[in-house]
Amino acid sequence: MATATSERVELAKHCSSRNWSKAIRVLDSLLAKQCSILDICNRAFCYNQLELHKHVIKDCDKALQLEPCVIQAYMLKGRALLALGRKQEAVLVLDHGYENALQQTADVKQLLELEELLKAARREIDGAFKDQVTESKQEAPVSSLGSCASEKFDEKIDKREDHDKVIETSDNACKISTVAVSESGACSNGKAHKSSSNLGEQSKIKSISKDASKANKQSGGSSDLSNGSVYKEKENGKSGIQIQINGSHVSCKPCNGSDLHDNLSESSDRLGDLSVIGNKLSIKSGSIGKLHLKAGVSDETKMNKKYTIARISDTHSISVDFRLSRGIAQVNEGNYTKAISIFDKVLKEEPTYPEALIGRGTAYAFQRELDKAIADFTKAIESNPAAVEAWKRRGQARAALGEFFKAVEDLTKALVFEPNSPDVLHERGIVNFKAKDFTAAVKDLSICLKQETDNKSAYTYLGLAFASLGEYTKAEEAHLKSIQLDSNYLEAWLHLAQFYQELADHSKALECIERVLQVDNRVWKAYHLRGLVFHGLGEHRKAIQELTIGLSFENSLECLYLRGSCYHAVGEYKDAVKDYDATVDVELDAVEKFILQCLAFYQKEIALYTASKVSSGFFCFDIDGDIDPVFKEYWCKRLHPKSVCEQVYRQPPLRESLKKGKLKKQDLAITKPKANLLRFADLIGKKIQYDCPGFLPNRRQHRMAGLAAIEIAQKVSKAWRIEWRNSNKGTAKNGKKNRRRERINMLSQNRGGAGCSTSSSSEPSTGYASLEDRSSGRSMLSWRDVYSSAVRWRQISEPCDPVVWVNKLSEDFNSGFGSHTPMVLGQAKVVRYIPNYERTLALAKSIIKDKLSVRNKKDEVIDLSSDEKIQQIMCAETCAELHKIVGEDFWVATWCESTVSEGKRLEGTRITCIQKEGRLGYDFAIRTPCTPGRWSDFDEEMTSAWEALCNAYCGENYGSIDLDTLETVRDSILRMTYYWYNFMPLTRGTAVTGFVVLLGLLLAANMEFTENIPKGLQIDWEAILNVEPSSFVGSVKSWLYPSLKINTSWRDHPEISSAFSTTGSVVAALSSYND
């Protein structure tokens, strides 16, 4: 009891000397012991004196939650809302308070004060409507002693005499009792209130125990936190930023005056990893909110503050408080060095002053001096372990450094002192999202939104977290809710656009981007995102236009890199090289962007190589044979190019004949026969499209697939004609075995190794050369020749993708480098491949049951033969459960039944389950290592399958136009496709290449696929998840065969090799579908 009394005495002392910060600390201590409405209102009053309006609102809400009839709370909250310019809300609060006051006739004076305040607020709204002025001019000024406002809030205090009147009354009016606050907390009609003892008699409020009620519902609009910063949307469309400093809450204009859109994060992976939008901060991965001081908004208020300091700063404590305010104001204006100087003076006098340490720490953070910032926040915590803002600020600074786990620890500690604080939950939810702990992010943000139902930023991040977890319906609902709260909220529109783009709903994505640009047509990230959408649709020229507009507003690395790739694709090599160089030269503001600079280096070399082949035959375009294996390995792995520069021959600059860096006019000329050929190619190529989330309909890829399929059909048809002719000459029987042996020998001589080249003398050209061996007259077309045609088209159609044969990667081929397709990354679901998760998990369990073991990272066998283990494995419902049962990272391999050697099983795809260090959750993926031994096995299977297909068509079925007769041919095509998909011989692009060849082979046999791949089906996964070729054939033929029709008219089109003979003409054909 003695302690409580001494604290009350200390409180009275601090209030008498107007040391409001220390008074607040005493009240914090009292409230920690017992939750009293009286002390909550007292603290709100102190916050009001420091113009910390958000804290005023927060404490008033808490008081009203405990006792809905506390008139004082209504008045203080109404004044705070007015000070923040939220006049409509202020009227609603004051009106509600007035209704309650009418029922409490004990204090008529208070009722009259409230009535006058309500009228004044309404007059402000009416005046603002009539004058049609900006919000900054509409707001009533708030005096430096926030509770001592002038009688009329609708009149601006712009005369020194008015200021004098306010200040003259301050000595009496602004005193606070250790028992009760003045019923109005302000001077009414310019007159002073009675003494505090009388005020105590006028209003007797019962104390309520601490456990009577917990956290309050904060009203006061939505707090938007982007990159860890708390943003406050103003009515005029500009964003302000808020920060609470251990009870100091202040407001300002946006940093550097930048708009809300100036910072968007990734994702996604690919977006992945998409993307955070907010004010452009000077700190990397900005996560420090900007200080917010209302007194700095208007000139009148600044005059108030200066005059007040001159009149009443006689005591040391008041000088400290106002120095603190000045420092905060300097931070708000971006004068960080000046702010630090002010805080230094405060700390020289009081080295452990928590508010000054937090203020200086925030200034350091904005100067990118995050270590110094953390040091100051740490000192503030040591000085006052209950300083919530210090814990919160340090958490934000640590998040900015990427120390997410430490950041979460700090924010969790802040919640100990302020349980269920929506602000801290909001912060921690965003940090959890950045740490890729999406489950925790959903939990934090959901709790936050139960208290702050109008927090649009929390809804946006909730949508991002749900999307990462694969909860797409919930994600969309959360994003739309954010937009419902504010239809001009740019961050929400951009994230929703990215969400739709990743789901491949390009129409909705473009609609959202258009809404962003309607609000602000200078949002460069909107143009970048629209460029990404057009790029994904194959509309590269449209993408270039959008990216160019975006670059006129911001010289962003993302726009430069993507535009360079688009120029590269359409044959504008000079511009491509220029953009690639500019990308490499951009100063990085985030480490994760370095990968784009690495890719720009590699793709510049590929652009120069392609430019050197523009006038040559397309068959001379041979990345696999001409580009150094070391270069390709580094390109595929996205490694630092330093070693490449030292070891590999660099491409020369653009040749003299290509100084313009553009395609020749003859390459761009489209004749009528070419136009007809392109239309047919588009019709055929559309059939490659997957109707699954994440797969955009790419017109450029469709054109590529159609032209490649027709070329394959023409080449194979010619080869089969030679085969059939040789059969009729009676050479087939004697030549069949020799020819097969010859093909196997030819391919085995070129399975890889350092310096190997597809253009070596041991392998026939895969271009347009004669398909007939001059000495024997026999066809020399191999399965590798057929697929190489499709690979070449895939390589030139999208230069961003490093598509190469794995056996051309020298040493990596021997070590088992191959494709990697993830379904789950930590907690994130990969939108394209997560539909295959359940089947893959079931197959993994089935293989473990069959083999009674798995293999670990070191390729060691892990025995799982016990009945208990097997039973647990078969009951596992997630990859996480499976990993816990096995006890460590592991993989199991699917198998493929051999056709060449009966009873032999080939190693198919490895299903892997690993836990990466520093990542929550597990990576569940399929990996296909192409080792020399495995390559040899599949090479033999592919050779056998190709031989069987040639025999099936070139015998009695040659030239048939009867679908029933051609069933054996169809089955043979599907069997070879099955082995191709399980072989996975390319670094990427295996899926589309396999289906392009399938379409070409069907066409060569006079069969055209006229429908689409069924919705939700990915044919490459059908092959991977079936261990027998017959089961794959059976599953695919059920939808493929009924969609086939006989077509021989395709033979009337000109040959691809003559219509588009040069590399330049091929690039032009892929880029001319808008003509």
Side-chain angles (χ1 to χ4, degrees), residues 859-1074:
D859 206 25
E860 299 168 338
V861 176
I862 303 174
D863 180 62
L864 298 170
S865 58
S866 71
D867 292 340
E868 183 181 358
K869 282 280 188 184
I870 294 299
Q871 186 177 2
Q872 289 176 347
I873 286 168
M874 297 311 292
C875 292
E877 296 182 355
T878 65
C879 62
E881 293 179 10
L882 200 57
H883 189 280
K884 289 175 182 176
I885 295 168
V886 173
E888 61 181 295
D889 296 346
F890 70 91
W891 60 268
V892 294
T894 65
W895 67 83
C896 304
E897 297 291 348
S898 172
T899 301
V900 174
S901 304
E902 187 175 351
K904 181 179 179 179
R905 286 183 171 181
L906 310 179
E907 181 184 330
T909 297
R910 292 181 180 181
I911 302 172
T912 64
C913 186
I914 63 174
Q915 186 175 31
K916 287 192 174 180
E917 185 177 354
R919 177 182 286 176
L920 298 169
Y922 301 87
D923 288 5
F924 191 64
I926 56 171
R927 295 174 181 265
T928 310
C930 286
T931 57
R934 185 178 180 278
W935 188 282
S936 179
D937 288 340
F938 274 97
D939 182 18
E940 191 173 2
E941 292 295 334
M942 292 295 292
T943 302
S944 173
W946 170 244
E947 184 78 16
L949 172 58
C950 292
N951 291 338
Y953 186 78
C954 296
E956 297 178 355
N957 297 328
Y958 181 78
S960 174
I961 55 173
D962 179 68
L963 286 173
D964 292 335
T965 303
L966 293 170
E967 183 172 4
T968 305
V969 177
R970 297 196 295 271
D971 288 351
S972 297
I973 293 172
L974 287 180
R975 188 171 291 107
M976 187 166 72
T977 302
Y978 169 79
Y979 284 115
W980 168 263
Y981 282 138
N982 280 283
F983 188 4
M984 287 280 178
L986 305 177
T987 54
R988 62 183 302 165
T990 299
V992 67
T993 302
F995 201 71
V996 165
V997 172
L998 181 146
L999 293 174
L1001 293 175
L1002 287 172
L1003 208 56
N1006 299 320
M1007 292 177 284
E1008 180 189 348
F1009 177 47
T1010 59
E1011 298 298 329
N1012 299 310
I1013 298 173
K1015 185 174 182 178
L1017 187 140
Q1018 298 177 26
I1019 189 171
D1020 51 325
W1021 283 84
E1022 290 299 309
I1024 291 167
L1025 299 178
N1026 277 289
V1027 297
E1028 295 182 357
S1030 58
S1031 60
F1032 168 76
V1033 172
S1035 66
V1036 173
K1037 69 191 301 183
S1038 62
W1039 56 266
L1040 179 67
Y1041 290 6
S1043 301
L1044 296 176
K1045 73 172 185 179
I1046 295 296
N1047 182 352
T1048 58
S1049 62
W1050 68 271
R1051 300 177 186 274
D1052 299 332
H1053 291 289
E1055 286 206 6
I1056 299 291
S1057 59
S1058 60
F1060 307 106
S1061 58
T1062 65
T1063 302
S1065 63
V1066 167
V1067 172
L1070 293 173
S1071 310
S1072 62
Y1073 44 71
N1074 286 330

Side-chain angles (χ1 to χ4, degrees), residues 580-866:
Y580 286 147
D581 282 339
T583 301
V584 172
D585 292 338
V586 170
E587 184 178 350
L588 293 179
D589 58 1
V591 176
E592 56 269 19
K593 293 182 181 179
F594 177 67
I595 191 68
L596 294 180
Q597 292 188 323
C598 292
L599 289 174
F601 169 84
Y602 295 117
Q603 286 166 212
K604 174 189 172 182
E605 294 295 302
I606 298 298
L608 291 171
Y609 168 78
T610 307
S612 71
K613 301 291 183 180
V614 163
S615 301
S616 304
F618 185 40
F619 66 88
C620 294
F621 179 79
D622 186 8
I623 287 178
D624 290 287
D626 295 339
I627 302 298
D628 190 284
V630 174
F631 178 94
K632 289 183 292 185
E633 289 169 15
Y634 276 62
W635 181 27
C636 291
K637 292 181 175 182
R638 304 181 174 189
L639 300 176
H640 195 295
K642 180 180 179 182
S643 297
V644 172
C645 295
E646 296 172 352
Q647 300 179 38
V648 175
Y649 168 76
R650 300 282 297 279
Q651 294 294 323
L654 291 173
R655 291 185 292 110
E656 229 18 79
S657 60
L658 276 173
K659 279 297 182 183
K660 292 184 179 179
K662 297 183 178 180
L663 302 177
K664 296 180 179 180
K665 288 185 178 180
Q666 57 264 37
D667 293 331
L668 300 171
I670 303 295
T671 62
K672 187 174 181 180
K674 284 185 180 181
N676 291 332
L677 179 58
L678 291 176
R679 277 192 286 271
F680 181 64
D682 290 342
L683 182 67
I684 295 295
K686 287 180 181 177
K687 306 307 177 186
I688 68 169
Q689 184 64 43
Y690 280 167
D691 188 2
C692 303
F695 291 91
L696 282 167
N698 189 307
R699 293 185 65 184
R700 185 180 178 89
Q701 293 302 308
H702 294 170
R703 171 70 59 84
M704 174 278 297
L707 290 171
I710 295 169
E711 182 192 61
I712 288 168
Q714 291 170 343
K715 291 173 68 174
V716 170
S717 179
K718 184 182 293 186
W720 282 348
R721 185 165 61 251
I722 295 170
E723 185 87 9
W724 175 75
R725 188 174 63 203
N726 289 337
S727 297
N728 286 344
K729 289 180 181 179
T731 59
K733 288 185 179 180
N734 295 327
K736 200 175 288 184
K737 291 182 179 179
N738 291 333
R739 184 164 65 256
R740 177 176 174 184
R741 186 180 301 111
E742 184 178 299
R743 285 177 181 152
I744 293 175
N745 290 337
M746 173 189 66
L747 292 169
S748 64
Q749 291 171 13
N750 193 45
R751 285 184 190 139
C756 62
S757 170
T758 54
S759 58
S760 66
S761 59
S762 64
E763 185 174 342
S765 169
T766 57
Y768 299 93
S770 172
L771 297 170
E772 197 169 327
D773 184 297
R774 293 180 181 177
S775 61
S776 64
R778 292 194 301 269
S779 167
M780 292 295 291
L781 192 68
S782 68
W783 73 266
R784 178 69 177 262
D785 297 327
V786 175
Y787 282 91
S788 288
S789 292
V791 170
R792 183 181 295 105
W793 281 95
R794 178 65 179 82
Q795 287 170 332
I796 203 164
S797 66
E798 189 48 73
C800 288
D801 296 337
V803 178
V804 294
W805 291 88
V806 174
N807 71 324
K808 300 299 180 182
L809 295 178
S810 102
E811 294 305 319
D812 261 17
F813 170 56
N814 296 321
S815 63
F817 179 81
S819 64
H820 171 222
T821 309
M823 290 162 279
V824 179
L825 291 171
Q827 293 182 1
K829 309 296 189 299
V830 180
V831 63
R832 283 190 171 192
Y833 307 118
I834 193 61
N836 303 296
Y837 172 80
E838 296 292 343
R839 287 179 64 192
T840 307
L841 183 65
L843 179 59
K845 295 194 295 183
S846 175
I847 294 171
I848 294 173
K849 184 179 180 180
D850 178 70
K851 294 186 175 181
L852 301 178
S853 65
V854 295
R855 289 184 177 271
N856 62 16
K857 282 183 176 180
K858 298 179 180 179
D859 206 25
E860 299 168 338
V861 176
I862 303 174
D863 180 62
L864 298 170
S865 58
S866 71

